[in-house]
Amino acid sequence: MPVIVQLPTGKALTVRGAADVFLDALGNPNAVRNYGIGVGKTAERLGEGRPLATVTDEEIGEALELLWGTAAVNTWNSRRAAVMSWLGWCGEHGYDGPAVPAWAKRLAVLDSETPARSKMAIDRLIARREVHLREKTLWRMLYETVARSDEILGVKDGLRRAPLPVKAKGARTKARRRGQAREDFVLEPVYWDAGTARLLPRLLNGCPRGPVLVTHPKPGPGKVVSPRDLCPDPGLARLSYGQARALLDEHTAVRGPGTGWDLHEYRHSGLTHLGEQGASLLILMAKSRHKKPENVRRYFKPSPEALAEGTSLLASGDSRR
């Protein structure tokens, strides 16, 4: 027997009210349990007392990234699907509200390969006239350093020379001494080449202190930004992962929003190209800062000549004379 839900009168709903009425409409306890985590935690992150109509698509994407951006692929896809169903249901029933942005894409399953873009395709994209200097610098840094996106987006204080110390994934906190900040972490160096060296000084000209990669408009009066994420001179905020991902999608999508490149493809492409050029496994591990050889082995692609030379070492003594 179908469950009859008494919908609120009028078209205005708070975020919490929208979550509750959606979950009540599901009826099935298993469905409520499966959807409840994604919808509930997203509602908490957005602010439960806010009118749903005031929430933007960008805020939905940011909430998903903050909550499950580093979770397993299946977890990300499940939570994203729950939020999409929630917001879609609200729209179908006449309640104004946001949608999951195109850049917050469903992730590929673990056994699928991240595309490796050709060096020519990367160079041509960065050389395009309509691409802003900020995006050119970010994409070139991601490719040349093969660093993770959040590591480069977190760079600050106008650092101009390589090696650049970054807070790595899973960074260990330093041994704390009296007066030392809790946020002090062991930093790891990343290296770039001539392309970044040409672009970075031009980008830093307008903001010598604070985050290197910043938004163009200043944050609105209602947006709270941490002082360490703010460039003190122009008052611009640090570029977020969601914003950077959307900008890349805008310049690379050919089959509609959400179909463009992903920021991780620069890291994957850089390591693939190094492997194709014969870089050793140790160099690839040092460059990528992977801790396990099996995570890097797919980039290790020695040439036929290198394989033939290695095989010759197995020849008998007589044949090598």
Side-chain angles (χ1 to χ4, degrees):
M1 183 175 179
V3 176
I4 299 174
V5 178
Q6 184 67 40
L7 297 178
T9 58
K11 299 302 180 184
L13 276 180
T14 64
V15 172
R16 182 71 260 172
D20 287 343
V21 74
F22 166 70
L23 295 173
D24 288 342
L26 295 175
N28 187 316
N30 290 331
V32 173
R33 189 180 306 110
N34 292 335
Y35 282 84
I37 297 175
V39 174
K41 287 188 175 294
T42 303
E44 291 176 9
R45 169 63 66 174
L46 295 172
E48 297 180 324
R50 294 177 57 186
L52 182 66
T54 66
V55 179
T56 65
D57 295 3
E58 181 73 15
E59 287 180 289
I60 293 293
E62 292 287 348
L64 288 171
E65 288 289 347
L66 288 169
L67 290 167
W68 300 291
T70 58
V73 171
N74 289 338
T75 301
W76 163 268
N77 288 339
S78 174
R79 304 295 184 253
R80 174 184 174 275
V83 172
M84 285 189 70
S85 297
W86 168 41
L87 299 176
W89 184 93
C90 290
E92 290 172 3
H93 287 79
Y95 297 103
D96 296 332
V100 174
W103 54 261
K105 296 185 288 188
R106 186 182 189 279
L107 297 180
V109 293
L110 292 176
D111 58 355
S112 64
E113 294 255 344
T114 300
R117 307 293 175 177
S118 70
K119 191 175 187 302
M120 180 180 293
I122 292 172
D123 289 343
R124 290 178 64 180
L125 175 62
I126 295 175
R128 281 161 54 176
R129 288 180 176 270
E130 70 272 21
V131 175
H132 192 273
L133 175 62
R134 176 189 59 187
E135 282 81 81
K136 290 177 185 282
T137 307
L138 170 62
W139 300 343
R140 182 58 71 184
M141 287 183 77
L142 288 174
Y143 177 68
E144 291 185 353
T145 63
V146 302
R148 299 175 180 88
S149 306
D150 55 347
E151 294 172 347
I152 297 301
L153 290 169
V155 171
K156 59 182 181 179
D157 295 332
L159 297 169
R160 296 174 179 268
R161 294 184 299 174
L164 171 70
V166 298
K167 178 186 172 184
K169 179 180 178 182
R172 295 182 293 107
T173 55
K174 291 181 178 178
R176 292 187 65 199
R177 298 181 177 88
R178 182 176 298 176
Q180 187 176 21
R182 187 179 297 275
E183 292 80 13
D184 284 347
F185 292 89
V186 176
L187 302 179
E188 297 181 1
V190 296
Y191 295 80
W192 64 71
D193 202 61
T196 300
R198 285 193 297 268
L199 294 169
L200 193 55
R202 293 166 53 196
L203 182 69
L204 293 173
N205 188 45
C207 187
R209 296 183 295 122
V212 170
L213 297 152
V214 295
T215 56
H216 290 157
K218 293 184 179 181
K223 187 173 180 62
V224 179
V225 181
S226 169
R228 59 184 176 181
D229 288 334
L230 201 64
C231 188
D233 297 330
L236 302 177
R238 180 179 67 85
L239 188 70
S240 71
Y241 178 87
Q243 291 166 328
R245 193 172 180 180
L247 287 166
L248 179 59
D249 186 73
E250 176 185 330
H251 287 287
T252 57
V254 294
R255 297 187 303 278
T259 63
W261 297 11
D262 192 86
L263 292 168
H264 182 67
E265 293 177 27
Y266 285 106
R267 175 174 167 87
H268 184 85
S269 300
L271 290 171
T272 298
H273 298 162
L274 286 173
E276 290 173 346
Q277 293 297 315
S280 70
L281 185 61
L282 290 177
I283 289 295
L284 289 177
M285 288 185 66
K287 180 72 173 171
S288 67
R289 291 164 291 119
H290 278 109
K291 301 298 187 286
K292 298 179 180 180
E294 56 266 28
N295 294 335
V296 190
R297 197 162 285 138
R298 59 176 168 165
Y299 305 110
F300 187 47
K301 301 174 182 178
S303 65
E305 293 77 13
L307 288 172
E309 183 178 349
T311 304
S312 70
L313 299 175
L314 304 176
S316 63
D318 292 340
S319 62
R320 287 186 292 173
R321 288 175 184 171

